[in-house]
Amino acid sequence: MATARVADDTTDPSEPPTKRQRINDTGEGHDDARNASLEDDVDEEDVEDAYVEEVKASDMYLDTINRAVLDFDFEKVCSVSLSNINTYGCLVCGKYFQGRGRSSYAYSHSIHEDHHVFINLETTKVYVLPDGYPVSDPSLEDISFVLSPSFSKAAISTFSSSFFPTKLSYDLANKAYLPGYVGLNNIKRNDHMNVVIQSLLHVKPLRDYLLLSAFRGKETELLRRFAGLAKKIWNSRLFKSQVSPHEFLQEVNRASAGRFRLEQQGDPVEFLGWLLNNLHKGMGGTKKKDSSIMFSTFQGELRVETQQVLVRPDVGDNEKPRFDIDRDIKSTVSPFLFLSVDLPPPPLFQDAVEKNIIPQVSIHSVLAKYDGKTTQESAGQLRRYKCQHLPPYIILHFKRFTKNAFVEEKNPTIVTFPLRGLDFKDYVDAPASQTSTMYDLVANVTHESVAGTTRNKEDTVWKVHLRAGSGEHEKWFMIQDLIVEEIRKEMIFLGESIIQIWERREDSSNTGSKMSIDSHS
């Protein structure tokens, strides 16, 4: 069999590259990437002509592919040169190597380790090395789909159907899982970011936008990697029923200049705020309303009325100061992406068995802050809040942590809430006609740590509750990193909720599934 000519795709014909070559947002490195791609194109055209009649010659190597070791979740860089340019994955051992020319690392690996089948991690095309010819076989389609999943509108519509929880998928080990409800690997201390990722990827408009995306423009690397992670989580053909967010979180670390790191425990609320704004910018969003899917989904408007507290001038020198309230009321309207709610202070006393008394409050009592009547004092001002416009999805943040001069305190108060049918009509000014003020819970992020009122970041556990389906098929799942378990509805409100995402009902007359837990509102 004649050997086809294989062009080198490295910059030095005598030695593979040893320096890390990165493509940054300014475009630096694009020339190298383009040259490497062009050289691959030359290889491909020549090889296809040479082997047009010998496709069957690749069959003996396809048997060496080991799907059990393939993991496309990690950053796609060469395991030797650490370059992300022109990277191939070995389908025998799962390692990544740069190039496929004679002086490339993939070429050397194929000779020294006798591993011959490689996939281009960008184009998903498969080649046999060291011969260099392409392989086109239907049996490889599942590998290409795991590497780069794609979705149709019809497939996505089933994710929101009432019967979706009955549509189980199976991995290579024949383990059942429900697409979209799979565990995320806690690589070091990234569980606080995992719960935010899981929550956002169950917001229907954002999920559908990401699953249908085929980015080729000016979108940021953060947005591209978040879309890639979304497609893996909702993939019904996974080789293993779990996903690692490593590739996305590496970009988070870079884009945030080290503010959010894999090895450091953090605050999910801070990460949520940062991620919402950076995804908005990555989509080309501006300050204008509805300029991105993030704003059209989560942005509302809040009216704030402010009155100044004045010291009365008629008070004598030896008298206690007396205060008046300025009659002038200043009103401003500002946009918001989530609403923060305060919790009542925890009790200072303990019960007979020396255990802290954990109070409970209803969600309506803490939302009263936004009824336009409740007054709050801050920095010499009295303030009242009320929503002017409610978004399709409302994010609530329960403020459990406060800092003083010595420690960061935790408020263990339990908030009770319905899973469906939370009415926000008392917290919005004259909602538009035909617009429902009834919301159903989509995601609930909870915090667990040692007992007491002092925050202990080292022993913190973050969990998220997610809804699947509706009606008689409705289920709730608790996800803690790689642990995915179905949970009883009555147990959900018992945790220390930090973040909740509520979805507006399309039809206000639809009361949803009737559940006894609705009485907890």
Side-chain angles (χ1 to χ4, degrees):
M1 179 175 66
T3 303
R5 178 180 62 84
V6 181
D8 290 347
D9 55 0
T10 55
T11 57
D12 188 337
S14 61
E15 182 179 357
T18 57
K19 294 182 179 180
R20 185 182 181 93
Q21 304 174 29
R22 305 290 295 181
I23 300 176
N24 54 35
D25 294 335
T26 62
E28 183 179 350
H30 279 289
D31 290 340
D32 293 338
R34 183 174 64 252
N35 291 338
S37 299
L38 288 175
E39 288 171 354
D40 266 359
D41 289 341
V42 173
D43 283 347
E44 185 178 323
E45 291 172 359
D46 291 347
V47 170
E48 285 177 349
D49 290 340
Y51 288 92
V52 67
E53 296 180 354
E54 300 192 37
V55 177
K56 293 183 179 180
S58 65
D59 292 350
M60 61 180 178
Y61 294 123
L62 297 187
D63 292 340
T64 65
I65 295 175
N66 185 0
R67 287 169 172 78
V69 301
L70 299 183
D71 190 344
F72 300 121
D73 293 345
F74 290 89
E75 197 166 14
K76 296 172 178 59
V77 296
C78 175
S79 58
V80 181
S81 67
L82 300 182
S83 171
N84 65 346
I85 300 173
N86 200 25
T87 310
Y88 289 78
C90 175
L91 297 184
V92 181
C93 67
K95 294 181 179 179
Y96 296 167
F97 298 97
Q98 185 182 15
R100 71 171 196 272
R102 290 183 184 275
S103 58
S104 67
Y105 292 113
Y107 189 94
S108 300
H109 181 76
S110 68
I111 295 175
H112 296 155
E113 301 297 331
D114 200 25
H115 296 173
H116 299 287
V117 191
F118 293 79
I119 187 170
N120 186 298
L121 299 180
E122 181 68 25
T123 66
T124 71
K125 293 181 179 180
V126 179
Y127 299 87
V128 167
L129 298 182
D131 297 329
Y133 56 81
V135 180
S136 179
D137 193 287
S139 66
L140 300 174
E141 193 271 337
D142 62 330
I143 298 177
S144 297
F145 195 87
V146 169
L147 172 59
S148 181
S150 59
F151 297 83
S152 65
K153 290 184 178 180
I156 291 176
S157 65
T158 63
F159 297 156
S160 301
S161 64
S162 61
F163 56 83
F164 177 67
T166 64
K167 300 291 185 179
L168 296 179
S169 297
Y170 296 86
D171 62 10
L172 287 180
N174 206 32
K175 179 181 178 181
Y177 72 94
L178 186 63
Y181 301 81
V182 298
L184 287 178
N185 188 21
N186 185 358
I187 302 167
K188 287 187 178 178
R189 303 299 301 275
N190 56 279
D191 53 337
H192 66 289
M193 294 187 278
N194 286 352
V195 292
V196 171
I197 293 169
Q198 294 276 21
S199 300
L200 289 181
L201 293 184
H202 285 81
V203 174
K204 184 178 181 295
L206 177 59
R207 179 201 67 193
D208 295 356
Y209 171 86
L210 295 172
L211 295 185
L212 292 172
S213 65
F215 298 134
R216 293 291 186 271
K218 298 181 180 180
E219 297 82 5
T220 60
E221 185 67 17
L222 181 75
L223 178 58
R224 281 193 288 267
R225 293 196 183 189
F226 192 55
L229 180 58
K231 293 176 182 180
K232 291 175 182 177
I233 289 177
W234 286 95
N235 189 354
S236 60
R237 299 165 62 182
L238 291 173
F239 286 167
K240 57 183 187 302
S241 57
Q242 64 190 51
V243 173
S244 174
H246 180 270
E247 192 173 16
F248 170 67
L249 295 182
Q250 285 288 87
E251 182 60 23
V252 168
N253 180 44
R254 189 200 65 80
S256 67
R259 180 181 174 187
F260 302 103
R261 301 196 298 269
L262 295 173
E263 68 277 6
Q264 182 176 328
Q265 185 64 262
D267 189 335
V269 179
E270 292 182 9
F271 177 63
L272 173 63
W274 178 88
L275 185 59
L276 290 176
N277 283 287
N278 278 270
L279 289 177
H280 167 70
K281 294 177 183 177
M283 296 172 182
T286 64
K287 293 183 178 180
K288 294 182 179 179
K289 184 179 179 181
D290 297 338
S291 58
S292 77
I293 191 71
M294 307 303 294
F295 273 18
S296 62
T297 301
F298 297 112
Q299 189 182 66
E301 292 181 343
L302 182 68
R303 173 171 54 84
V304 182
E305 293 183 349
T306 305
Q307 288 179 280
Q308 194 72 31
V309 178
L310 306 175
V311 179
R312 294 180 56 175
D314 57 347
V315 178
D317 294 338
N318 297 325
E319 295 183 55
K320 293 182 179 180
R322 298 178 185 176
F323 301 94
D324 246 337
I325 300 176
D326 192 351
R327 295 184 179 180
D328 184 23
I329 300 177
K330 297 180 179 179
S331 181
T332 58
V333 176
S334 303
F336 69 85
L337 289 178
F338 53 82
L339 297 173
S340 296
V341 292
D342 302 309
L343 298 178
L348 300 177
F349 303 99
Q350 295 179 322
D351 61 14
V353 292
E354 298 297 318
K355 291 186 177 180
N356 288 327
I357 302 171
I358 301 179
Q360 293 188 15
V361 296
S362 72
I363 193 169
H364 282 294
S365 65
V366 295
L367 283 174
K369 170 183 177 179
Y370 297 101
D371 62 6
K373 302 175 183 177
T374 303
T375 302
Q376 294 190 332
E377 191 276 330
S378 175
Q381 293 181 332
L382 298 181
R383 295 179 179 176
R384 290 178 292 275
Y385 304 90
K386 196 159 191 179
C387 295
Q388 292 283 96
H389 165 71
L390 294 177
Y393 287 79
I394 297 178
I395 302 177
L396 296 182
H397 162 218
F398 299 94
K399 299 170 67 175
R400 291 194 176 272
F401 306 114
T402 55
K403 294 182 180 179
N404 57 35
F406 305 100
V407 295
E408 187 172 8
E409 295 182 342
K410 178 193 71 172
N411 190 326
T413 300
I414 298 298
V415 180
T416 59
F417 50 86
L419 297 183
R420 289 185 177 272
L422 179 60
D423 196 346
F424 281 81
K425 67 179 180 181
D426 294 333
Y427 317 117
V428 61
D429 279 334
S433 59
Q434 307 301 322
T435 300
S436 173
T437 58
M438 299 291 287
Y439 285 75
D440 300 326
L441 187 64
V442 173
N444 178 51
V445 175
T446 63
H447 164 275
E448 289 185 8
S449 64
V450 295
T453 57
T454 301
R455 185 178 186 183
N456 187 338
K457 290 186 177 180
E458 298 302 318
D459 296 320
T460 296
V461 174
W462 298 101
K463 299 180 180 180
V464 61
H465 303 121
L466 300 171
R467 188 186 77 212
S470 61
E472 62 178 328
H473 299 295
E474 180 175 293
K475 292 183 179 180
W476 280 87
F477 292 92
M478 185 283 297
I479 301 181
Q480 177 195 341
D481 297 330
L482 294 179
I483 302 173
V484 181
E485 297 176 345
E486 186 177 353
I487 186 173
R488 293 177 57 187
K489 299 170 184 176
E490 295 81 5
M491 303 296 292
I492 294 174
F493 79 95
L494 296 179
E496 297 178 5
S497 296
I498 296 288
I499 299 170
Q500 290 182 342
I501 300 181
W502 294 83
E503 176 187 36
R504 177 193 288 153
R505 288 187 184 173
E506 295 181 359
D507 182 5
S508 60
S509 64
N510 178 20
T511 58
S513 58
K514 297 181 179 179
M515 297 178 290
S516 60
I517 197 169
D518 283 351
S519 62
H520 290 297
S521 61

